[in-house]
Amino acid sequence: MSAGRVFHKQIFKSGFAEATVIAKKMPKTVMCAIKRRVTNQKYGAVRTCRSVLMVHDEINETVPGDRVLLKQCRPRSKRKHWMIYDIIQKYKPVEFLKKNPEYVPIKSVEPWSLIPGLNVHIQAEKEARKAERKEKNLKRKEDKKKGEYDKLQKLQKKKKKFS
């Protein structure tokens, strides 16, 4: 095992661990994070370490945010040596949305988009800045072709030194 995947000895002794599901991008597999506190022997400083594991999820009912109990098992693949033994706590927003399907979660909404008319001004400002940048880049390219760009840069540096 590499240094990045060294786990606490107690996890291996018991064969069970409590973790949080952090990602679910593959069928019957979830990524779980085990958090633990480690004390430095010399200085006594306490820090939190996190180990990310690939875990087998046979029922395929966990979602990111769930607290689960993991059990060590035979290797199912190269990096998958754990399986979900039990779901300790479901992620609450998911349960609420299942019970009340009339509520639809709002995707990331910027506060200025809620004020009528303001969003239009912000878009216009962004487009104006983008057009200015394009003009500057075109001018810079033309000056480089002429060889004047280097002269302008040297003059600007001299002005900065004297001011």
Side-chain angles (χ1 to χ4, degrees):
M1 266 188 204
S2 65
R5 296 206 188 125
V6 176
F7 303 102
H8 201 264
K9 290 177 184 174
Q10 289 178 346
I11 294 172
F12 280 124
K13 283 181 183 175
S14 65
F16 289 91
E18 193 174 315
T20 307
V21 177
I22 56 172
K24 183 177 184 172
K25 296 179 181 175
M26 299 159 277
K28 293 193 176 186
T29 304
V30 291
M31 299 293 283
C32 292
I34 298 175
K35 288 188 177 178
R36 63 186 189 281
R37 294 172 65 90
V38 178
T39 307
N40 186 299
Q41 288 181 344
K42 186 174 181 181
Y43 300 109
V46 179
R47 62 187 176 105
T48 305
C49 293
R50 182 178 98 148
S51 300
V52 178
L53 305 168
M54 286 181 81
V55 180
H56 182 69
D57 183 13
E58 187 66 41
I59 328 167
N60 221 11
E61 70 175 42
T62 56
V63 293
D66 287 354
R67 299 280 302 151
V68 292
L69 184 67
L70 305 179
K71 181 184 177 191
Q72 216 170 9
C73 64
R74 64 175 181 78
R76 304 228 178 212
S77 67
K78 183 179 176 182
R79 291 181 54 204
K80 212 159 61 166
H81 309 278
W82 294 80
M83 62 182 278
I84 292 179
Y85 187 74
D86 190 23
I87 298 171
I88 299 168
Q89 182 182 7
K90 291 293 284 178
Y91 187 56
K92 296 209 167 121
V94 174
E95 286 181 358
F96 176 78
L97 290 172
K98 280 183 182 176
K99 289 178 186 174
N100 306 307
E102 65 271 9
Y103 292 101
V104 179
I106 299 172
K107 293 184 180 172
S108 61
V109 177
E110 290 82 11
W112 59 80
S113 66
L114 301 173
I115 303 168
L118 183 65
N119 199 19
V120 177
H121 296 296
I122 292 171
Q123 281 297 104
E125 287 176 15
K126 282 183 181 177
E127 288 174 10
R129 277 190 246 123
K130 196 174 183 180
E132 284 178 24
R133 274 189 250 125
K134 279 187 177 180
E135 287 176 24
K136 283 184 181 179
N137 286 337
L138 287 172
K139 189 176 179 182
R140 195 176 295 142
K141 285 179 183 177
E142 289 173 5
D143 290 345
K144 263 191 174 180
K145 286 178 183 175
K146 294 176 186 175
E148 296 172 7
Y149 182 75
D150 296 327
K151 294 174 187 175
L152 289 171
Q153 288 291 325
K154 289 177 184 177
L155 286 172
Q156 286 176 353
K157 285 180 183 178
K158 286 180 182 178
K159 286 180 185 177
K160 286 181 185 177
K161 285 181 182 178
F162 293 114
S163 58

